[in-house]
Amino acid sequence: MRRIETLDGLRGYFLVFMFINHVTFTGGLFMRYLNHAQLGFVEDAQGFVFLSGLLAGMVYTRRMNRGGFSAGARALWRRAAELYGYTIGCIIVVLVLREILPGAPRIWQGWLGEIGHGGFGAHVAAAALLYQATFLDILPQYIVYMLAAPMLIWLVVRGRAAAVVTGSLVLWLAVQTGLHLPLIDAINVGLKHLSSKLFLRVPFNVLAWQALFMIAMVIGSLMALDRLDIRRYFDVRHAPIVKMMAISLLFFTALRLGFTFGLIPGDVTARFRMLENRAAFSPIFMINFVIAAYVFTWVMTAGKEVADARVRRLSQFFTWLFNLSFLRLLGRHSLQIYAWHVVLIYLVFWVDKQVGPFTQFEKTLITLFGIALLALPAVYRERRAAKTRLPGGETTRSSTAG
């Protein structure tokens, strides 16, 4: 199927800002405050997971619809195995660097925890993705989602999309109400049998964050099956609704800035924090993401046709930004680059502790250099694919298998 280049650009944008958010310097990095997440509760990781689910639904539903369940399932499970290889490869590379670089064991101790020196039990837990190194974040999630995706996509193909969405929301609600806690306790008990120092160490609750991926996957699947005309939901006539949604986002922006600058009373802050759980993708994040996703998509699609010149200019700016060739390059190889970004983050942290501290100007230059280095896997993969092209513009089977 034809690639939607704007979606590639969006994923590339999210990769760049995830790198900026993850890179760690003594004294902090000013560039981190340029992110839209500083103005609300919508983060790059959310958009990245959602877009990946959308594209998975679009791509693998077509395969399944043409070749049956087995055709799509084999491709999805191969993808899960590939992602598992990237995850384990990241851990191995970091552990090798830990043995080579002076001071790395001390510098990375907090990020690796028991991995590398916790014995056989820690290695088993890490291999099972139950005890994760810091900043692996999204990769282990995707493995679980890809393993579950074939049956769910097949249900959509068979006309059971509503059941898939309902099940996804029920799982999300189960996490919000704490029904998953006995499962976590059971996993922790099992890990204690491997080592007394082990516990479930994951940045995101996979049962909560799956709502982003799975609902997006259903949308992508329905689009691939021509059962959903997405344009009807983003019409110019919906401008009044979009205005109300934008105002609600401004409300949350005011809240966020109030918390940042200490303007919100302590009892209000305490009440709000009960609803703000990033790891569990709590209601505050879900509500903000749904609203922001709709407003953004409407501006990108219908915004260019509205009478308000400000909205038209904003639509044109978004179109230009998310079609930048560098961002599209990153987005075409997003998961490989995410794995590579983990290694870069560890290296930058080591450099900061061994050579730094740096000035804000120096930290900005290092960060920009790191962003440029993000493209290395993409450049390598595209050059390798170009070498396998046959005369006439066709490609070999190996070059298109990904």
Side-chain angles (χ1 to χ4, degrees), residues 58-130:
M58 294 170 68
V59 172
Y60 295 105
T61 299
R62 289 178 181 269
R63 295 191 184 188
M64 199 171 285
N65 198 37
R66 289 196 304 262
F69 174 81
S70 60
R74 284 196 301 269
L76 281 161
W77 290 334
R78 281 198 302 268
R79 186 65 160 166
E82 180 185 12
L83 294 178
Y84 184 77
Y86 293 150
T87 302
I88 300 302
C90 278
I91 296 173
I92 292 174
V93 168
V94 170
L95 289 180
V96 170
L97 291 173
R98 178 177 175 271
E99 298 302 316
I100 295 174
L101 300 177
R106 169 184 52 82
I107 294 170
W108 293 340
Q109 174 60 43
W111 287 3
L112 292 175
E114 296 299 305
I115 300 174
H117 66 83
F120 177 76
H123 294 156
V124 170
L129 307 181
L130 298 175

Side-chain angles (χ1 to χ4, degrees), residues 179-201:
L179 293 177
H180 68 299
L181 295 178
L183 175 61
I184 291 179
D185 292 338
I187 293 173
N188 282 329
V189 169
L191 290 174
K192 293 299 181 186
H193 287 293
L194 293 174
S195 171
S196 60
K197 296 182 178 180
L198 293 179
F199 55 91
L200 183 62
R201 189 179 195 256

Side-chain angles (χ1 to χ4, degrees), residues 39-40 248-260 263-264:
L39 300 176
S248 68
L249 287 177
L250 290 176
F251 166 75
F252 284 107
T253 296
L255 270 180
R256 182 60 184 260
L257 293 176
F259 293 133
T260 300
L263 303 177
I264 307 295

Side-chain angles (χ1 to χ4, degrees), residues 8-28:
D8 286 334
L10 266 170
R11 289 207 292 180
Y13 171 87
F14 292 142
L15 281 166
V16 167
F17 276 96
M18 281 192 286
F19 177 84
I20 293 172
N21 288 336
H22 289 166
V23 71
T24 305
F25 290 101
T26 302

Side-chain angles (χ1 to χ4, degrees), residues 149-356:
M151 182 56 68
L152 300 178
I153 290 178
W154 184 244
L155 286 173
V156 177
V157 172
R158 304 283 290 186
R160 304 294 298 277
V164 176
V165 172
T166 301
S168 176
L169 290 175
V170 167
L171 276 179
W172 177 78
L173 284 171
V175 173
Q176 308 314 310
T177 55
L179 293 177
H180 68 299
L181 295 178
L183 175 61
I184 291 179
D185 292 338
I187 293 173
N188 282 329
V189 169
L191 290 174
K192 293 299 181 186
H193 287 293
L194 293 174
S195 171
S196 60
K197 296 182 178 180
L198 293 179
F199 55 91
L200 183 62
R201 189 179 195 256
V202 295
F204 299 121
N205 188 308
V206 70
L207 297 179
W209 279 70
Q210 56 75 30
L212 278 172
F213 187 93
M214 297 305 176
I215 293 175
M217 187 183 72
V218 170
I219 294 172
S221 296
L222 292 175
M223 291 171 63
L225 296 168
D226 293 323
R227 298 178 190 170
L228 179 65
D229 182 9
I230 203 72
R231 292 170 297 180
R232 63 180 290 195
Y233 298 99
F234 299 96
D235 192 273
V236 175
R237 292 170 294 181
H238 297 160
I241 298 175
V242 174
K243 285 184 179 179
M244 289 189 293
M245 297 176 108
I247 291 171
S248 68
L249 287 177
L250 290 176
F251 166 75
F252 284 107
T253 296
L255 270 180
R256 182 60 184 260
L257 293 176
F259 293 133
T260 300
F261 294 104
L263 303 177
I264 307 295
D267 54 345
V268 176
T269 301
R271 177 69 64 87
F272 186 84
R273 295 305 183 201
M274 295 172 63
L275 302 174
E276 186 195 10
N277 187 333
R278 180 174 181 266
F281 194 52
S282 62
I284 289 297
F285 291 101
M286 172 68 91
I287 292 169
N288 275 266
F289 180 81
V290 171
I291 296 173
Y294 183 86
V295 171
F296 170 78
T297 307
W298 185 87
V299 170
M300 284 286 291
T301 54
K304 61 189 71 173
E305 301 173 6
V306 301
D308 193 326
R310 294 169 299 178
V311 177
R312 292 200 307 271
R313 285 195 294 270
L314 185 61
S315 179
Q316 292 166 358
F317 171 74
F318 284 157
T319 300
W320 168 79
L321 176 64
F322 300 121
N323 280 280
L324 290 174
S325 57
F326 179 74
L327 295 182
R328 288 190 282 111
L329 173 66
L330 297 183
R332 288 195 295 271
H333 309 274
S334 56
L335 293 175
Q336 293 85 1
I337 288 174
Y338 188 90
W340 168 233
H341 118 284
V342 174
V343 177
L344 286 179
I345 292 299
Y346 276 76
L347 287 174
V348 171
F349 188 45
W350 176 81
V351 170
D352 178 72
K353 293 300 182 183
Q354 287 293 103
V355 182

